[in-house]
Amino acid sequence: MKIGSTQIVETFAEAFGMRYCRVIVTAHDRYWLEAATRELCGYGSSVIACDAEVGVERWLSPDQSPDGRVGVSILAFGFSTDALGKAISNRIGQCVMTCASTAVFDGLSASEERVPLGKQLRFFGDGFQKSKVVAGRRYWRIPVMDGEFLCEESLGVAKGVAGGNILIQAVDQATTLDAARRGVIAIEALADAITPFPAGVARSGSKVGSRYKGLRASTADAYCPTLRSRVESKVVDGANCVLEIVIDGATEAAVAAAMKASLHAAAGEGVLAISAGNYGGKLGKFHFHLHELLS
């Protein structure tokens, strides 16, 4: 199967069930909003080593945000509710409460499963904090030097899917970078999905395990062009660069839609093949077959 001149390899991406929350951050203007977003999403690419996988779902105009200011919807994924709750509370406390003019709202208010937020951060107020219930939702007002930091008492948590992916193989680095950017931009237009790696792209794809004891993951040697003569390579003839787009989503359908959009956008001249990473179907219960996505 091909999209134009790009071969779509008959394989599948293997993804995993995870927990996620949706955090809505607002600020005085885009400058301060982007500052908070960069901090909140930093070091949030892979739970192999990070405390959570975090990324921007979409930017919100004032008429779309809870308090009539510019905002952003951020999705954060973790392996368990407890781990996610700890990670997101720490991140908001250190990265958003510290950022001038920001406020934080729950983007999954209907979820019964919840993790504390303002309930923990309120102690920073040293007894001067105040709470108020509005429309059945409790908010905390924590005094800070530019006024008050407003945040909800807790965040909803839901079941999500993480690890959808495509692997772009092209003739050179410049062509692969352009294709990867096109693929990420196509996903940015969709709801319920994020690409948590830097600019949405991973250069250091991984496999499970290592020859070094205790290392959970190591380089995906089968997709490293410089190793094609030393390993059982999956790099197609003529390809000299491989980049991966990893996708986390609120639902299986959201990940499938993001992969499909990315496949179409990334294909093009000089992109010899697009494949996907999996572990033989033994580790993740969600399998996204590339040919089925395009049929």
Side-chain angles (χ1 to χ4, degrees):
M1 181 178 287
K2 288 188 173 183
I3 299 176
S5 61
T6 303
Q7 176 191 0
I8 307 302
V9 179
E10 188 173 3
T11 187
F12 64 93
E14 187 172 353
F16 308 83
M18 295 181 77
R19 291 292 196 274
Y20 81 97
C21 59
R22 176 180 281 118
V23 182
I24 308 298
V25 179
T26 66
H28 175 70
D29 59 25
R30 185 70 179 242
Y31 176 85
W32 297 105
L33 183 64
E34 289 182 354
T37 301
R38 285 193 298 270
E39 296 294 323
L40 178 56
C41 295
Y43 193 51
S45 58
S46 171
V47 290
I48 290 175
C50 303
D51 60 355
E53 297 183 5
V54 192
V56 171
E57 177 190 20
R58 61 191 180 107
W59 298 94
L60 305 174
S61 60
D63 63 319
Q64 296 172 315
S65 78
D67 61 2
R69 306 189 299 170
V70 291
V72 63
S73 175
I74 293 172
L75 302 183
F77 290 76
F79 273 131
S80 71
T81 299
D82 289 344
L84 180 60
K86 181 178 180 181
I88 203 64
S89 179
N90 286 341
R91 285 172 177 263
I92 290 175
Q94 292 297 305
C95 304
V96 182
M97 185 167 68
T98 59
C99 184
S101 81
T102 58
V104 175
F105 303 87
D106 178 23
L108 292 175
S109 58
S111 294
E112 293 185 4
E113 189 174 17
R114 310 196 66 78
V115 292
L117 182 62
K119 186 177 181 180
Q120 289 186 179
L121 298 182
R122 64 191 172 103
F123 295 110
F124 183 76
D126 199 29
F128 297 102
Q129 68 271 17
K130 296 180 180 179
S131 70
K132 186 173 184 179
V133 176
V134 179
R137 296 164 68 167
R138 181 175 295 278
Y139 299 84
W140 283 94
R141 297 157 52 198
I142 301 170
V144 289
M145 292 189 298
D146 71 345
E148 292 180 329
F149 173 61
L150 176 72
C151 67
E152 293 211 33
E153 179 168 72
S154 62
L155 295 173
V157 176
K159 294 180 179 179
V161 178
N165 68 85
I166 65 169
L167 291 160
I168 302 165
Q169 305 189 35
V171 293
D172 55 31
Q173 187 182 63
T175 302
T176 319
L177 287 167
D178 287 344
R181 287 186 65 183
R182 295 195 303 270
V184 171
I185 290 171
I187 296 169
E188 289 175 351
L190 304 177
D192 296 331
I194 62 169
T195 53
F197 280 85
V201 178
R203 72 187 299 208
S204 56
S206 61
K207 66 179 183 294
V208 175
S210 168
R211 67 180 64 189
Y212 298 106
K213 185 178 180 180
L215 196 61
R216 295 167 57 191
S218 59
T219 190
D221 48 75
Y223 289 100
C224 294
T226 58
L227 298 180
R228 62 178 6 132
S229 64
R230 301 175 58 188
V231 300
E232 188 176 340
S233 180
K234 294 183 180 180
V235 181
V236 300
D237 291 341
N240 294 294
C241 182
V242 181
L243 291 174
E244 182 179 18
I245 298 176
V246 177
I247 302 160
D248 296 347
T251 64
E252 184 177 3
V255 174
M259 287 183 59
K260 181 176 180 179
S262 192
L263 279 166
H264 280 287
E269 185 177 354
V271 180
L272 304 180
I274 300 178
S275 56
N278 63 69
Y279 311 98
K282 299 177 180 179
L283 297 179
K285 73 173 186 177
F286 299 98
H287 300 165
F288 299 93
H289 292 265
L290 302 189
H291 285 195
E292 292 179 7
L293 291 175
L294 299 179
S295 62

